[in-house]
Amino acid sequence: MSDERIGRRLWALFLPYRVGMVAILLAVLLSSGLGIITPFLTQAAFDRALFPTAGGPVNVPLLGWLVGGMIAVPVVSALIGVWQTYQTTLLGNRVMADLRGRLFEHLQRMDLSFFTATRTGAIQSRLSNDVGGVQSVLTETATSILGNVVTVVAALVAMVLLSWKLTLVAVIMIPVFVVLQIRVGRVRRRLAGHTQESLSDMTAITEESLSVSGVLLSKVFNRQEFEVRRYRAENAKQVDLQVRQAMTGQTFFAVVQTFMGVTPALVYLVAGLLIAAGSGVSAGTVVAFTTLQGRLLFPTVNLLRVSLDVQTSLALFRRIFEYLDLRPRIVDRPDARELDPRTVRGELSLRGVWFAYPPAERDGPDPAADGSPARPWALRDVSFDVHPGQLAAIVGPSGSGKTTLSYLIPRLYDVDRGVVLLDGNDVRELTQASVTSAIGMVTQDTYLLHATVEDNLRYAKPDATREELEAAARAANIHDRIMSFSEGYATVVGERGYRLSGGEKQRLAIARVLLKDPPVLILDEATSALDTASERLVQQALENATRQRTTIAIAHRLSTVLGADVILAVENGEIVERGTHTELLAQGGLYARLYTEQFAGGQVEARCANGVVFRDGHTLVTSARPTP
């Protein structure tokens, strides 16, 4: 992305606040203009009041007016400066908030594949480190550049009016400094990019190793020292980059400041030669000129520093705009239709579905000549129907494509070939919001917010009444457990719900889905990691959740799907068998093999006799251990 394009996009960020920008511009012009008046008042004080050319006495009245002006100018300028600083800070932070908000909103719209291919810490770094790194540019730099430019231009004009010969002495090296500054800025920009990449890596390490899951992982494998060494190594790299970035250009600025510091002496020398030659340069002119030269020194150095900061920030803006320019793979079509979840019957159909996961890189490899992606197929020619109110179970070995099927139905991914239909509508022709509103999911890896039980439930339905919350919790067999906590529904569940057991988290997730009340429900191995007692409670909750809903249940434990209306056996991305439990056992294929591996023959029948839960007259799940 070119610097010119970055500049245009930055300008677009400020356009909504053009009125405030105009007010700040006027304040900067007025403040800078007032600053140029003082040297001319000083010249008049010397040449007309203190040392009149005719050799007369001091003109006290005139001197009083001039001194009053020299006092009034900085006072007024300071008051304007305070107001300008407030307005500049307010405007800059509003632009910062807009930029952060736009970036966060854009990331929320990105497809699931983006997040599976990108570290969470790297995303957080863009939002915090990169956006935070450009804060000074947005809040201070624009007005700093404007104010310094006005001051420099006004000072140069005034210096030329006083003496063009002395002006040449004062500014002869400035063009050289500008060229050197551009070269230094290029180095600083490159270092800034490397610094932000290192910060991104540090943030990712922190997020991975200091999350609850990361801490547990490092502790159970005794890898704390490894994590410390990894962080320290990246930290040392960050220190090196920060020092190199800070020191880049310091020699250059030392040369600039040295030249600016010795220039007044050269001005005195040249002025003395001019006075000796009878050029008509007065003492007041020399004093006023050196005063202006002082006003030229600091703005010039500041401009050079600020321009370096701008070039450094361009690297950060480029990283921010790279994320803003990412295009999600899953978007609504211009003519997408809204689907009212209240009228959804729950008819699901997949017709000739082929799917391959997108590459980790956003551009990725090109598809093959026949239109197939240059990646392995996760699903191959999958077709099935689930009628309203039915329970369809998907079983198969790990990696066979079960979870992938569950991602295609709510359009977390788009199929490469074929079609996914909801009530006869291609989900790609519907708005994403209306599709996801009609579908609820309970996953094996339950995610809970670090918030109260009530807040986690209300995530599904923010306007739910307390009665609705409790009804959903009772249906999920979690209400009594919640009320046993000292703070009840106000109990904070902790990071990712770690203060709750696995069964409690699953039941809370089921209650959340029940509160949403979707016509279609997807269960992704919701009980695979639970003990028998927790599984029984969760299965009872699932029985409530699946009643009168179209349900897709991805199951590892076959005991949870014995009474399904249809069981789909998946292997290597293909449906190899379909039918009821009894039909598939009789076929002696994949399902029968999985059944034999899990239950070793007649244990399931004995278990069913020992305790069962029914769903629409079918055995759904056992509720007791198998008997010998």
Side-chain angles (χ1 to χ4, degrees):
M1 186 184 302
S2 66
D3 294 349
E4 181 182 356
R5 187 182 174 197
I6 293 176
R8 289 198 301 268
R9 296 182 71 167
L10 285 176
W11 174 247
L13 293 174
F14 284 91
L15 280 180
Y17 306 99
R18 58 178 66 89
V19 175
M21 290 174 59
V22 171
I24 293 171
L25 172 63
L26 294 176
V28 169
L29 292 174
L30 182 58
S31 179
S32 301
L34 286 173
I36 303 302
I37 296 176
T38 300
F40 287 98
L41 295 176
T42 302
Q43 181 191 32
F46 267 82
D47 293 343
R48 298 173 57 190
L50 292 173
F51 309 105
T53 55
V58 174
N59 189 338
V60 176
L62 178 59
L63 181 61
W65 281 106
L66 293 173
V67 169
M70 284 187 278
I71 293 173
V73 166
V75 170
V76 174
S77 181
L79 293 175
I80 295 174
V82 171
W83 183 86
Q84 173 204 319
T85 300
Y86 170 75
Q87 293 297 326
T88 302
T89 304
L90 180 63
L91 186 148
N93 278 282
R94 283 177 174 172
V95 173
M96 279 281 294
D98 291 346
L99 184 59
R100 278 194 299 263
R102 282 182 56 192
L103 184 56
F104 185 85
E105 180 181 3
H106 184 70
L107 289 172
Q108 284 287 326
R109 292 174 177 162
M110 292 301 297
D111 54 278
L112 187 61
S113 63
F114 168 77
F115 297 96
T116 59
T118 309
R119 292 190 297 181
T120 303
I123 298 173
Q124 292 174 345
S125 181
R126 298 279 174 129
L127 275 169
S128 57
N129 296 330
D130 290 0
V131 177
V134 300
Q135 181 169 1
S136 63
V137 174
L138 295 178
T139 57
E140 301 171 6
T141 301
T143 53
S144 176
I145 291 176
L146 180 61
N148 287 320
V149 166
V150 172
T151 301
V152 168
V153 171
L156 285 174
V157 171
M159 289 166 69
V160 170
L161 292 176
L162 289 172
S163 173
W164 67 267
K165 297 176 182 178
L166 296 179
T167 303
L168 288 178
V169 177
V171 302
I172 191 170
M173 289 295 293
I174 289 181
V176 177
F177 294 151
V178 171
V179 173
L180 292 176
Q181 180 273 335
I182 293 174
R183 294 185 177 181
V184 172
R186 291 171 182 166
V187 177
R188 285 276 291 270
R189 188 192 308 186
R190 186 170 61 253
L191 285 173
H194 295 326
T195 301
Q196 293 307 117
E197 291 173 5
S198 176
L199 277 174
S200 177
D201 291 338
M202 285 185 65
T203 304
I205 292 172
T206 302
E207 191 276 334
E208 291 171 355
S209 59
L210 294 184
S211 65
V212 175
S213 300
V215 168
L216 281 175
L217 182 67
S218 65
K219 286 184 178 296
V220 298
F221 283 97
N222 195 26
R223 297 285 282 173
Q224 296 99 320
E225 288 300 321
F226 166 77
E227 296 295 344
V228 171
R229 287 195 303 271
R230 187 162 68 120
Y231 186 83
R232 283 180 174 172
E234 197 61 48
N235 199 18
K237 179 181 178 182
Q238 178 65 205
V239 170
D240 178 65
L241 287 169
Q242 291 283 5
V243 171
R244 288 170 59 191
Q245 183 176 330
M247 292 305 298
T248 300
Q250 292 305 310
T251 302
F252 164 70
F253 282 115
V255 172
V256 173
Q257 289 180 314
T258 300
F259 173 78
M260 293 294 188
V262 302
T263 302
L266 298 177
V267 168
Y268 288 137
L269 175 62
V270 174
L273 296 175
L274 291 175
I275 292 173
S279 64
V281 176
S282 66
T285 299
V286 175
V287 172
F289 191 91
T290 52
T291 302
L292 283 169
Q293 192 176 11
R295 291 191 59 81
L296 180 67
L297 166 64
F298 295 106
T300 302
V301 173
N302 285 338
L303 277 176
L304 294 174
R305 287 189 180 277
V306 167
S307 59
L308 273 184
D309 293 338
V310 169
Q311 292 190 64
T312 300
S313 297
L314 287 176
L316 309 189
F317 280 118
R318 181 171 287 108
R319 286 169 54 87
I320 295 169
F321 290 140
E322 280 176 359
Y323 263 29
L324 287 174
D325 288 339
L326 291 175
R327 288 292 165 260
R329 291 187 171 100
I330 311 298
V331 294
D332 288 342
R333 294 179 178 178
D335 57 347
R337 306 190 309 277
E338 288 282 347
L339 186 67
D340 188 351
R342 295 171 298 181
T343 63
V344 174
R345 295 180 295 109
E347 181 83 30
L348 291 176
S349 299
L350 273 71
R351 296 281 183 267
V353 166
W354 293 70
F355 174 75
Y357 281 100
E361 297 297 330
R362 297 303 293 180
D363 45 7
D366 293 330
D370 62 355
S372 63
R375 309 179 303 280
W377 290 112
L379 296 174
R380 298 178 179 86
D381 196 21
V382 173
S383 298
F384 65 85
D385 297 303
V386 184
H387 301 299
Q390 280 191 328
L391 168 63
I394 302 176
V395 302
S398 297
S400 59
K402 303 187 299 295
T403 299
T404 301
L405 279 171
S406 73
Y407 288 159
L408 296 180
I409 295 171
R411 207 188 169 199
L412 298 177
Y413 290 93
D414 268 343
V415 299
D416 292 306
R417 302 179 191 171
V419 62
V420 177
L421 301 173
L422 176 59
D423 285 356
N425 301 289
D426 186 341
V427 293
R428 291 170 297 187
E429 297 176 354
L430 303 172
T431 63
Q432 296 177 73
S434 64
V435 171
T436 53
S437 294
I439 299 173
M441 291 188 72
V442 178
T443 62
Q444 178 181 357
D445 183 20
T446 301
Y447 188 88
L448 297 178
L449 303 173
H450 184 64
T452 65
V453 171
E454 181 174 343
D455 290 336
N456 275 280
L457 290 174
R458 288 189 184 278
Y459 198 81
K461 187 178 181 181
D463 59 347
T465 65
R466 184 56 179 258
E467 290 73 20
E468 289 175 321
L469 292 178
E470 293 185 1
R474 286 192 176 93
N477 287 332
I478 190 66
H479 173 74
D480 291 340
R481 180 58 179 149
I482 293 172
M483 296 309 297
S484 71
F485 299 145
S486 59
E487 297 181 357
Y489 281 81
T491 300
V492 176
V493 302
E495 181 74 15
R496 296 180 63 89
Y498 268 92
R499 293 182 63 186
L500 305 179
S501 69
E504 290 166 351
K505 287 193 291 185
Q506 286 288 17
R507 282 180 281 158
L508 190 59
I510 293 169
R512 186 165 56 188
V513 168
L514 289 173
L515 191 62
K516 180 181 179 180
D517 194 23
V520 178
L521 183 61
I522 298 175
L523 308 173
D524 186 0
E525 301 199 29
T527 65
S528 62
L530 303 181
D531 57 60
T532 303
S534 296
E535 180 186 0
R536 182 170 62 251
L537 290 171
V538 172
Q539 286 297 342
Q540 291 171 355
L542 289 176
E543 169 65 12
N544 294 327
T546 58
R547 187 175 292 117
Q548 297 180 344
R549 287 185 175 87
T550 302
T551 305
I552 302 289
I554 299 169
H556 173 71
R557 294 184 180 180
L558 300 186
S559 62
T560 62
V561 296
L562 298 181
D565 298 292
V566 61
I567 298 175
L568 307 173
V570 180
E571 188 172 33
N572 297 323
E574 299 179 86
I575 296 178
V576 295
E577 296 174 348
R578 68 185 74 204
T580 64
H581 167 70
T582 303
E583 293 169 346
L584 294 182
L585 280 182
Q587 291 180 19
L590 172 63
Y591 181 82
R593 185 174 75 247
L594 294 173
Y595 167 84
T596 302
E597 291 173 354
Q598 287 193 28
F599 301 111
Q603 291 185 6
V604 169
E605 285 75 20
R607 182 174 177 177
C608 290
N610 196 31
V612 295
V613 176
F614 291 94
R615 179 185 190 274
D616 297 334
H618 299 289
T619 302
L620 173 64
V621 58
T622 61
S623 58
R625 292 182 180 275
T627 56

